[in-house]
Every structure is written in structure tokens, then in C-alpha cells.
Amino acid sequence: MSERKVFLTKEELIEKYNLNEEEQVYLLPLLMEAEETVRRQVAGTI
Amino acid sequence: MNTKELAQERTQIFTDVLEGKIPKRVPVYGMLTYEFSIQYAGMDMMEAQWNTEKYFEKVADVICRDFYSDSFGVTNLRFPAMYRVLGARNWLMGSSGFMQHPEVVGLEADEYDDFIASPYDCIIEKVLPRLYTNLNTDPYQKAITMAKAFKIFFEEMGRVAEVGAKLTEKYGYGQANFFAGACEAPLDFVADQLRGFKNILADIRRMPEKVKAAAEAVTPVMIKMGIPAPLPNSAVFIPLHMAPFMRTKDAEELYFPTFKKLVDELAALGHRCFLFVEENFMRFLDLLYEFPEGTIMMFEYGDPKLTKEKIGDKHIIAGFYPVTMLKTATKEECIDKAKELVDTLAPGGRYIFTLDKSPVSLGDINPDNLKAVYEYVGKNANY
């Protein structure tokens, strides 16, 4: 995974935050939503 | 009385107390943590901590149903998903699902001068990257990480507010929000967030002038941080930490001047403070008396009678009810303690019933005792 990469895919989030199975159920959706919201916001301001 | 009339009465008793008038009865300000509430409601701690969208309302509704309070009384201040995004070292979720606060150092001893020269810059450039590992990166990635964390923070805070409003209407709670803003006494901020408990005590001995200057430098930041949301009967929450662990002379010179300035400035801006007077502040009652009139002070330990005599004609007293008693004593003994505190602290008004602190976990108390105590005060502490 590139250190410079700002927005992460589902697989990259699991790797970056070292999410266990339980966390992949409860935490991953929150992280994915935050990624997507901020990505859309940044894209909208460029 | 229907829930609307009940809500009006409850709001009025809070308003009266805050305005220094004698209310119809003593308000009960319930404060139970989300963690305690999850356990009481019998839900899975880990699942409910991560998934507040699904669980916060369910959990809070059980508490509102079972525990008397005159205001919405479930607090949720630490959001694990936000800390995970930031890579926090200062707030971690333990294997039990409880948030842990390890001792961390955000500012080294030889960096005091940088902090004093420009506290905000120093926090952004040096402290945050140490406390939050995912902010230890280039400015662009740092900004994006902050945005993701804020997205989660506002969503979680919004959920707490939304559920609070919904259950306030359902249960006829009064409008009173003593967590409408939050900040720290300046020296507590330097201790808790920058130097750590052990280091600050050494700094106070070795370089008191630096500690004093750091507290002075960060005071404007704390004033700005404390500005509360515009809510009725609101207050700015300030938990107090270091003074009881300091020599009286050190506390007078290093702790209280900037702490008082913070509360004075917030009062000048029209904001009341809600001080959680942790540990024992009895030797500082004369200093607390000098704070702006109507400051709410929730005491953990000390002498309720002495406190009433010394500051009760000017400030609003809360606390003193020993949580530990709810674990070990009988229901009758617990109610008798509540009677004793009401008899001591309620005369003349300026008193809100609270525990001396919130129980952290279900094992800290016998919930039936707490129900009996809240119910007794709510139904019997009339003027």
C-alpha cells in the first residue's frame, strides 16, 4: 500500500487498521463511509 | 401530569436553580455513561460501542425507562471509531470494549518555549502527530485524516443529540445540558494532554515558571474551545484534575489564576461553567467562592456541610453522593444518605442532586440502589 495514497479501498482499510473479523462487521462500514464522504467532498472542491 | 407539563415543570426547576431562585423541588441530574448503560441493558459491549446507529437509542431508552432523572441522562463522550481513524495513542478501546486512557506525552520538557511562544501551532505541529499516529504525516494526508475523523465525530455527536431530543420528548425531561461545551482548566490541559501526570508534577518543582507560562499561553485556546452550543439551561463542562495533587501554594500560583480567568472570560461571554470538582478541593473552597456567581460545582469528595456554608450562597452545589455506597449499602441506607445530603445542601436552593461521579461499569453499583435513590430525591425533595 502506498504511503501517499489518501483514500483507501475496503481491503486497504482492513490492512491499514488491522481490523479483526468483528471489527470488519462493525467498524469497517463506518470507515468506508468516512472515506467516501471525504473523497466526494474533496472531489467536489477541485 | 402529561409529558409536556412534566417537561415544563422540570425545565422550570432547572431554570430556577440556575437563576438562584428556590425551585419547586430539587432537580435530579442523571449522568450514566454509555458503557454502564450498555451493560445494564444487557447488550454486547463491543457491538454497541462500534454501532451506535443501531444501539444508542435502544440502550438509552432502557436507562430512561428504569432510572429517574429530570433531564436526559446518558452521556457518550468518547467515540472509538474516531480515535481509530486518528490512530490515537491516548484513547484506546480495551478488549472488554471500555475506552482506556493510557498516560502519554505530547510535549517534551525542552519544548515548553515553543509551546509558550505559539501553543496552537505547537499543538498542530508537534503534539497531535505524537498523540495521533495517523496525523504524523504530510500536511495533505493530515488534513484528509482530520476530515475523516471529524466526519465520524459529527455523525456520532449528532446521533447523541438526536436521540437525546427524542427521548427528552418521550419521557418529558427538562431542558438542561451541562455538557453543551467542554474544555479544561489550562494547567490541567498542559498536564493531561501534553506532559502527563508524573511529568507535570516534576515540572512544577523544577521549572514552575515554564508551567505557569504554558498555562497562561493556552488559556485563550481553552476559552475558544469552551464556547458551548446555544442550548437552554446550558453549561460548559470543565473536569478538574491537578490541584488536589499540588501543594496549596503551587495551586494558588500555578493552577487557579488561569483557571479563574477561563471561567471569568466564559462568564463574560454569557456562558455558565459546570465544574466537576474531582478528588478533594476543600482547602480551595475560598478560591472557588471567588468564581462567577452561579457556577455549578459537582464535588467528588469533601465536607458537604462546610461546602454549603462557604460557597452555597453564591454557587450551585452538586455531587457528594458516594457511588461506592450504591455497591455495598442496603437500599434503606442509600436512601438515608440521600436524605442527609438533601437536608444539608438543599436549604436556600442552589442545589442539584447528582452522584459524586458516574459509575463506569455495571459492577460499580447495585442498580436497584441507584434507582431507589434517584426515585426518592425526584419524588420527595420538595421545597
Side-chain angles (χ1 to χ4, degrees):
Chain A
M1 184 177 9
S2 165
E3 279 298 312
R4 291 288 306 172
K5 188 161 184 189
V6 174
F7 298 107
L8 306 180
T9 64
K10 180 179 174 181
E11 290 71 28
E12 288 166 338
L13 284 167
I14 293 169
E15 184 186 337
K16 179 179 172 70
Y17 294 105
N18 192 25
L19 301 180
N20 62 33
E21 279 185 24
E22 198 171 36
E23 289 168 337
Q24 288 180 38
V25 175
Y26 304 121
L27 179 58
L28 186 58
L30 294 176
L31 298 178
M32 288 173 65
E33 195 186 331
E35 292 289 318
E36 181 57 20
T37 303
V38 177
R39 190 194 62 74
R40 277 203 315 268
Q41 190 71 28
V42 171
T45 57
I46 293 172
Chain B
M1 199 183 291
N2 62 35
T3 52
K4 199 169 179 183
E5 291 165 338
L6 185 59
Q8 283 172 348
E9 179 185 294
R10 285 167 156 171
T11 297
Q12 191 61 49
I13 60 175
F14 279 113
T15 303
D16 286 346
V17 169
L18 297 183
E19 290 180 354
K21 299 174 188 166
I22 295 181
K24 182 178 175 184
R25 57 187 173 81
V26 172
V28 175
Y29 194 80
M31 284 185 289
L32 294 172
T33 63
Y34 185 43
E35 288 94 336
F36 171 91
S37 305
I38 292 166
Q39 289 185 316
Y40 176 79
M43 297 186 188
D44 183 83
M45 176 66 74
M46 202 69 86
E47 191 175 346
Q49 281 275 36
W50 289 126
N51 195 345
T52 56
E53 185 177 7
K54 183 175 174 186
Y55 286 98
F56 185 67
E57 183 174 344
K58 285 182 188 170
V59 167
D61 195 44
V62 171
I63 296 298
C64 294
R65 184 193 69 197
D66 291 358
F67 291 86
Y68 184 93
S69 177
D70 287 312
S71 59
F72 177 65
V74 180
T75 56
N76 189 15
L77 303 172
R78 301 285 170 197
F79 306 120
M82 179 192 76
Y83 289 112
R84 195 67 180 267
V85 165
L86 290 168
R89 294 173 57 234
N90 55 346
W91 285 100
L92 304 168
M93 186 188 269
S95 58
S96 61
F98 283 85
M99 294 302 288
Q100 313 284 333
H101 182 41
E103 172 100 332
V104 291
V105 176
L107 186 82
E108 298 299 335
D110 61 0
E111 293 173 330
Y112 264 106
D113 287 341
D114 291 343
F115 184 79
I116 293 161
S118 182
Y120 193 78
D121 289 346
C122 190
I123 289 169
I124 297 291
E125 291 165 9
K126 292 186 176 171
V127 177
L128 292 185
R130 287 175 187 153
L131 301 185
Y132 304 105
T133 56
N134 292 339
L135 297 179
N136 188 16
T137 180
D138 63 79
Y140 184 68
Q141 293 216 27
K142 191 186 291 190
I144 295 293
T145 300
M146 283 292 271
K148 293 173 188 172
F150 264 104
K151 193 267 176 196
I152 292 172
F153 174 77
F154 284 123
E155 195 168 277
E156 297 277 16
M157 281 298 283
R159 184 167 299 118
V160 172
E162 189 182 324
V163 168
K166 190 174 173 182
L167 295 179
T168 291
E169 194 176 338
K170 178 177 176 181
Y171 289 94
Y173 287 135
Q175 296 291 337
N177 192 329
F178 301 160
F179 296 85
C183 60
E184 284 197 291
L187 186 62
D188 282 334
F189 180 84
V190 176
D192 295 343
Q193 308 298 331
L194 306 182
R195 296 290 293 136
F197 184 79
K198 279 190 295 187
N199 288 333
I200 196 73
L201 290 175
D203 294 348
I204 286 167
R205 297 292 178 109
R206 291 177 193 150
M207 43 181 160
E209 70 291 344
K210 300 274 189 197
V211 174
K212 186 176 183 184
E216 287 169 352
V218 84
T219 300
V221 179
M222 290 298 102
I223 294 168
K224 188 174 179 186
M225 182 180 169
I227 303 291
L231 297 167
N233 289 337
S234 66
V236 181
F237 177 59
I238 305 179
L240 308 180
H241 296 149
M242 290 307 301
F245 302 99
M246 298 167 68
R247 293 180 298 192
T248 301
K249 184 170 173 290
D250 288 338
E252 288 171 352
E253 290 176 5
L254 304 178
Y255 188 87
F256 273 91
T258 50
F259 169 33
K260 184 168 185 301
K261 184 177 180 187
L262 167 70
V263 180
D264 283 344
E265 293 280 332
L266 286 168
L269 292 168
H271 307 305
R272 184 190 308 274
C273 288
F274 169 43
L275 310 180
F276 179 19
V277 189
E278 295 187 48
E279 254 295 328
N280 191 322
F281 268 66
M282 292 301 103
R283 63 190 155 118
F284 303 120
L285 285 176
D286 291 336
L287 291 171
L288 290 175
Y289 186 80
E290 298 305 320
F291 279 55
E293 183 173 359
T295 299
I296 308 165
M297 302 184 187
M298 181 176 124
F299 290 86
E300 186 175 15
Y301 305 126
D303 182 342
K305 186 167 179 286
L306 178 69
T307 305
K308 183 71 174 177
E309 287 168 4
K310 286 220 166 194
I311 70 168
D313 66 331
K314 184 177 179 185
H315 298 304
I316 298 159
I317 299 171
F320 282 125
Y321 191 98
V323 161
T324 48
M325 192 169 180
L326 297 169
K327 170 86 174 172
T328 54
T330 66
K331 192 180 289 184
E332 289 69 31
E333 288 168 335
C334 290
I335 290 173
D336 285 346
K337 185 67 183 177
K339 283 181 189 170
E340 178 193 318
L341 282 172
V342 168
D343 287 346
T344 304
L345 296 169
R350 296 183 189 270
Y351 173 54
I352 296 170
F353 185 86
T354 71
L355 305 178
D356 64 357
K357 55 184 156 302
S358 298
V360 176
S361 71
L362 189 58
D364 290 345
I365 65 166
N366 174 349
D368 290 337
N369 283 346
L370 180 56
K371 286 178 198 172
V373 165
Y374 276 165
E375 191 80 15
Y376 171 79
V377 177
K379 299 286 167 61
N380 296 283
N382 301 311
Y383 281 95

